């Protein structure tokens, strides 16, 4: 079955960096657009970044532009999120998700998430 | 950006009853809406896409509908696992993809 497993979260000081990974299995990763969605503690969902299957296009929510970089390695079935200049308000659980269908940009499935805490 | 407004924020119902809650889009988004359920301590999971199509494996007690810019999720005969958070998401105009603020269904 389709599975997404995130890792790389942790505690980091403001201004620091982290790289999140998401290993995919059970589908043809190299043909699927992928997403990162985050959820601050006790808050709702916020789309953070997207990448097309071939890395041609990358998109970011305004609040992370210039600080986060989404990338992928199709040979390793892995999605990444490089997070730089981290701020306290980046504290959240970060989920990776797969594009639900070729014709529709819903998110399905989601990984279990990895928690990022930015604190001094 | 498209703003998705969910209501109510919290809905109190009893097991076996029906729950209905809505999501209003700030602009016309056609039927480009998905619904997700997030059980406590878990990741969200897809329930409905294209406003009314149930995702694979989702039971028939879940149904979605659309009228203009208003989208509704109905759950008939609530089961214990249905007491959770529910989010709508639009994918008509992006970036950014946007979510509603969530509806918590509680006992």
């Amino acid at each position: 079955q389709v599975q997404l497993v995130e890792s790389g979260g942790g505690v980091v000081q403001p201004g620091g960096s982290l790289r999140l990974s998401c290993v995919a299995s059970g589908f043809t990763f190299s043909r699927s657009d992928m997403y990162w969605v985050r959820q601050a503690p006790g808050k709702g969902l916020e789309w953070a970044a997207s990448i097309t299957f071939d890395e041609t296009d990358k998109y970011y929510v305004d609040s992370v532009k210039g600080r986060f970089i989404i990338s992928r390695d199709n040979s390793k079935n892995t999605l990444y999120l490089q997070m730089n200049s981290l701020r306290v308000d980046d504290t959240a659980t970060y989920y990776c998700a797969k594009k639900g269908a070729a014709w529709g940009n819903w998110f399905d499935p989601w990984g279990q998430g990895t928690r990022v805490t930015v604190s001094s | 950006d498209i703003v998705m407004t969910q209501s109510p924020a919290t809905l109190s119902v009893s097991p076996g009853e029906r729950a209905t809650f809505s999501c209003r889009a700030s602009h016309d988004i056609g039927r480009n809406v998905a619904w997700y359920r997030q059980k406590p301590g878990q990741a969200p999971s897809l329930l409905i896409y294209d406003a009314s199509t149930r995702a694979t494996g989702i039971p028939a007690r879940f149904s979605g509908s659309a009228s203009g810019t208003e989208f509704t999720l109905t759950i008939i005969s609530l089961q214990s696992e249905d007491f959770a958070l529910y989010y709508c998401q639009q994918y008509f105009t992006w970036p950014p993809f946007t979510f509603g603020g969530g509806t918590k269904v509680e006992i």
Side-chain angles (χ1 to χ4, degrees), chain A residues 1-55:
Chain A
Q1 74 282 17
V2 175
Q3 192 170 15
L4 300 169
V5 179
E6 302 96 333
S7 62
V11 180
V12 62
Q13 292 188 337
S17 298
L18 275 178
R19 188 176 83 155
L20 307 183
S21 300
C22 170
V23 177
S25 60
F27 66 102
T28 307
F29 180 75
S30 60
R31 295 183 184 173
S32 183
D33 296 357
M34 297 293 294
Y35 313 99
W36 286 101
V37 179
R38 65 184 183 176
Q39 186 172 34
K43 302 298 184 181
L45 301 170
E46 179 183 48
W47 165 79
S50 297
I51 186 168
T52 52
F53 68 98
D54 58 359
E55 288 196 278

Side-chain angles (χ1 to χ4, degrees), chain B residues 30-63:
Chain B
R31 295 178 63 85
N32 293 275
V33 166
W35 289 95
Y36 303 89
R37 175 177 59 182
Q38 185 176 31
K39 299 176 185 178
Q42 296 187 21
S45 60
L46 180 70
L47 294 172
I48 299 281
Y49 62 91
D50 289 347
S52 61
T53 303
R54 281 190 301 276
T56 302
I58 300 302
R61 67 177 185 273
F62 291 91
S63 64

